[in-house]
Amino acid sequence: TIGDTVITDGVITDASGLSIAAAVDLGSNTLTSTGSMQIRTIDYSDGDNAMTIADGGSVTFAQDTFITNGMGLVVGHTAQIATEATPETQILGTGSADSSLLIAGFGSNIPPRIHFVSSDAAIGSNDILEDNDLIGELRYYPDDGADYATRAASFYVEVDDVSPEAGGVGTAFVWKQQAGGGTTAARE
């Protein structure tokens, strides 16, 4: 057990386990382990970009957090599940509370919102949608005993305008649902 300052220019090795009771500052160096490590709290700070991993597993970020394209965020499980596709953001649970999403707005006339943006352009650019292009969709997948890929119902908004223009795009609401014993969701 080491209780105070440790200065080394090499490797600290202990075959039976090493316990450091004081804080460890690595400066610009790297901490590497070929086995498991138990660390109560990890603080990282580079100017105002700070991250803390606390005892118990909570993680706090002091800046926006970005997950690159092709990577996913899964809450409540160790892997993604697939429907007709494999959505990169998933909330998976075994009860109502841990398989739900809460969006709340607090204050005078602050309603929660979900924004659906659809464009024919690259991310951050603009290219007007055409008639019948989808703008946003909600899909419903019951477990059919084989997989989660049976779309039993959907609700979406599509462009319903033969000549959409800047500031004026006509839309239609479309409901689809599968009849009992059916294999396709008919348009309603």
Side-chain angles (χ1 to χ4, degrees):
T1 300
I2 302 170
D4 285 321
T5 303
V6 175
I7 301 173
T8 179
D9 59 358
V11 177
I12 299 174
T13 305
D14 184 81
S16 62
L18 177 64
S19 175
I20 300 174
V24 176
D25 185 349
L26 298 173
S28 61
N29 297 309
T30 302
L31 176 63
T32 305
S33 172
T34 57
S36 63
M37 283 193 283
Q38 291 185 355
I39 300 174
R40 185 170 22 145
T41 303
I42 298 173
D43 287 312
Y44 165 79
S45 183
D46 178 20
D48 61 356
N49 298 316
M51 176 182 81
T52 301
I53 303 174
D55 188 22
S58 67
V59 180
T60 304
F61 297 96
Q63 296 289 321
D64 291 340
T65 303
F66 301 93
I67 299 173
T68 60
N69 191 21
M71 298 290 106
L73 172 65
V74 178
V75 177
H77 194 53
T78 58
Q80 296 171 321
I81 64 169
T83 56
E84 291 172 288
T86 304
E88 291 184 10
T89 302
Q90 299 186 7
I91 300 171
L92 308 172
T94 57
S96 181
D98 62 357
S99 58
S100 299
L101 173 66
L102 170 67
I103 302 173
F106 299 94
S108 179
N109 200 26
I110 309 293
R113 296 180 171 106
I114 298 175
H115 296 252
F116 292 90
V117 175
S118 182
S119 174
D120 283 340
I123 295 175
S125 300
N126 300 102
D127 188 8
I128 197 163
L129 294 178
E130 299 173 3
D131 194 28
N132 299 318
D133 283 350
L134 296 185
I135 300 171
E137 183 173 12
L138 299 173
R139 294 180 174 186
Y140 302 86
Y141 299 92
D143 186 340
D144 64 3
D147 56 29
Y148 310 114
T150 299
R151 187 184 337 161
S154 64
F155 166 72
Y156 60 87
V157 177
E158 69 180 12
V159 175
D160 188 17
D161 191 337
V162 293
S163 55
E165 59 186 0
V169 179
T171 59
F173 294 95
V174 180
W175 293 89
K176 289 185 175 182
Q177 65 188 37
Q178 204 176 66
T183 58
T184 59
R187 184 171 179 151
E188 294 290 320

